[in-house]
Every structure is written in C-alpha cells, then in structure tokens.
Amino acid sequence: VSVTNLDSGTPVNIEFVPTSRYALVQLGCFLLSCVSLVLYALRQVTVSQELAIETFLLLARGLNELTASKFDWTDAVHHSATAAGLFLMASGRFEALTQFAWVGVHMQCLHFPMSWWYIGCRRGCVLNSWREYASRHFRWTWVMAMTYRGGLMFLLAVQSAFDGLLAPAVLFALFGTAFSYLDVTWTKSFFAVVGWGPRPVRSRAALGGMALARLLTLKSMGWLWT
C-alpha cells in the first residue's frame, strides 16, 4: 500500500498491517471525543461535562495502550500532563485557574486529526481504502490543531502575566512548552508516514491555528468561544 507524497509526487510505501483491536479502541475513543467537542461547541454539554468525558476517554486510551504494549515515554508525559492540567483547571480547588477550564476542552482539538490518523493513515489503520483521503485531511488538521494548541497556551501565558496572574502565566508557559515539544516530536513520526504535502496548505493551516488562538485570547471576544 502506498500514499503519494505531494511534495515530490513519489509514493510512500506502507507495509500492510491488519487492523488490530488497539486501533479500533483508539479510533473509538477519539471519535467519541470529537462528538463531545461538537456538542460542547453547540452548547449541549458544559465545560465540566466535556472534561469529565475527556478524562474517562484518556483513561480508556491509556489502558488500551498499556495492554497493547504501545505505551511509550511520549504517552507517559502527555497523559500525565493532560491529567494534571485537567485537575488544576477543573477541580475547583484553584480559583485562579478555574476560569481557564475551557482551555482544557480546547486542547482536545488534536483528537480531530488523530481520528483521521487511525481511520486511514497509520500502519494497521481501520480503513485502508481511505488512506489517500485520510492522509490529505490529517495533514492540514494536524498542523492547524498543533499550532492552535501551542499558540493558545503561550498567548494565554503572556496575557496572564500582563493581568498579574502569576500562577496561570507560569503554568501555561510550562504546559505549552511540554505539549508543543510532544506535538513536534509526533509530527516528525506521523509525517514520515503520510508525507508532508503541499507547503501552502500547511502554511495556511498554521496561520489559521495561530489566528484562532489570538482570537481566543482577546478578552473582548472570548465569550464567543469560551
């Protein structure tokens, strides 16, 4: 099976691997997360409800990774950081951070490209016949989500510092650094499989992610999305 690298027009050969229970469970978790995020955007679930769903799905994915021997250091860092971030923002024990609980929801945007990854990109994906289509949409959604996540965290760190909110500023900077490092690490391995695709598409996706991040840090417009 091959996927065309749109940079060079050459095929990227991918060894066929049968779909495993691991891939099906991961895809199911990511798709459920996407449904929950859409319901959140439509005001059908609250921030606390959506974060509760994400916590359950995070535990399910972690258990699935452990039982399938797919749990590595990046998963350990990501899951630990995500769990810590959700607790700090959504537990209600830290008043200065409670107002930023919506950020925990927005960080889950990466689950949209991850759904494409398990649908038709990775070795052992669920739908081999969708490889070209899934790879095309994985590329731009991943770049946009990755840029948005990092941009939002760092812009909120700056805004919090200017507002005199030291704890949120430090935490956003730390978590933003951790998640950005992981996203870049994963980008290299993911795009080695699907190819990088056209540079203009990646550039527009990155600009779109950063523009959205900037929009959400403007206090006068935050109500539109939070």
Side-chain angles (χ1 to χ4, degrees):
V1 179
S2 66
V3 174
T4 301
N5 184 324
L6 298 181
D7 284 330
S8 61
T10 58
V12 178
N13 293 318
I14 300 177
E15 179 186 358
F16 175 77
V17 177
T19 302
S20 62
R21 185 192 67 177
Y22 164 78
L24 289 170
V25 172
Q26 293 295 96
L27 176 59
C29 288
F30 285 124
L31 289 177
L32 286 174
S33 173
C34 291
V35 171
S36 180
L37 290 170
V38 171
L39 291 175
Y40 167 78
L42 295 174
R43 308 294 189 184
Q44 299 303 304
V45 298
T46 65
V47 171
S48 59
Q49 289 171 334
E50 210 289 317
L51 291 179
I53 292 170
E54 296 297 347
T55 300
F56 171 78
L57 293 174
L58 178 68
L59 292 172
R61 295 202 320 272
L63 180 61
N64 185 45
E65 290 158 357
L66 284 170
T67 57
S69 299
K70 300 287 188 180
F71 196 87
D72 61 13
W73 70 269
T74 61
D75 296 308
V77 173
H78 173 268
H79 295 348
S80 299
T82 300
L86 293 178
F87 174 77
L88 290 170
M89 290 186 289
S91 65
R93 297 186 179 185
F94 306 92
E95 185 176 351
L97 298 175
T98 302
Q99 62 180 305
F100 295 110
W102 61 272
V103 178
V105 176
H106 287 234
M107 290 298 102
Q108 313 309 315
C109 65
L110 208 67
H111 296 173
F112 288 99
M114 287 306 300
S115 295
W116 285 120
W117 175 255
Y118 281 94
I119 286 173
C121 297
R122 73 183 295 273
R123 296 176 178 86
C125 61
V126 175
L127 296 174
N128 280 289
S129 61
W130 281 36
R131 280 193 182 277
E132 195 63 46
Y133 184 79
S135 296
R136 186 183 312 121
H137 290 290
F138 170 80
R139 293 185 189 104
W140 73 265
T141 54
W142 175 269
V143 171
M144 187 172 186
M146 179 184 69
T147 307
Y148 172 67
R149 276 163 46 109
L152 182 63
M153 296 287 270
F154 286 116
L155 287 171
L156 284 173
V158 173
Q159 177 181 298
S160 297
F162 275 108
D163 290 344
L165 302 173
L166 181 59
V170 172
L171 288 173
F172 280 132
L174 291 175
F175 280 97
T177 300
F179 283 125
S180 295
Y181 177 78
L182 289 174
D183 289 349
V184 170
T185 300
W186 286 328
T187 296
K188 295 176 182 178
S189 59
F190 288 156
F191 280 61
V193 174
V194 300
W196 286 89
R199 186 182 299 275
V201 173
R202 299 199 310 272
S203 298
R204 288 194 295 268
L207 288 173
M210 185 57 71
L212 185 57
R214 179 55 184 148
L215 174 65
L216 294 178
T217 56
L218 296 174
K219 291 183 176 180
S220 60
M221 301 183 72
W223 64 271
L224 287 173
W225 298 89
T226 59

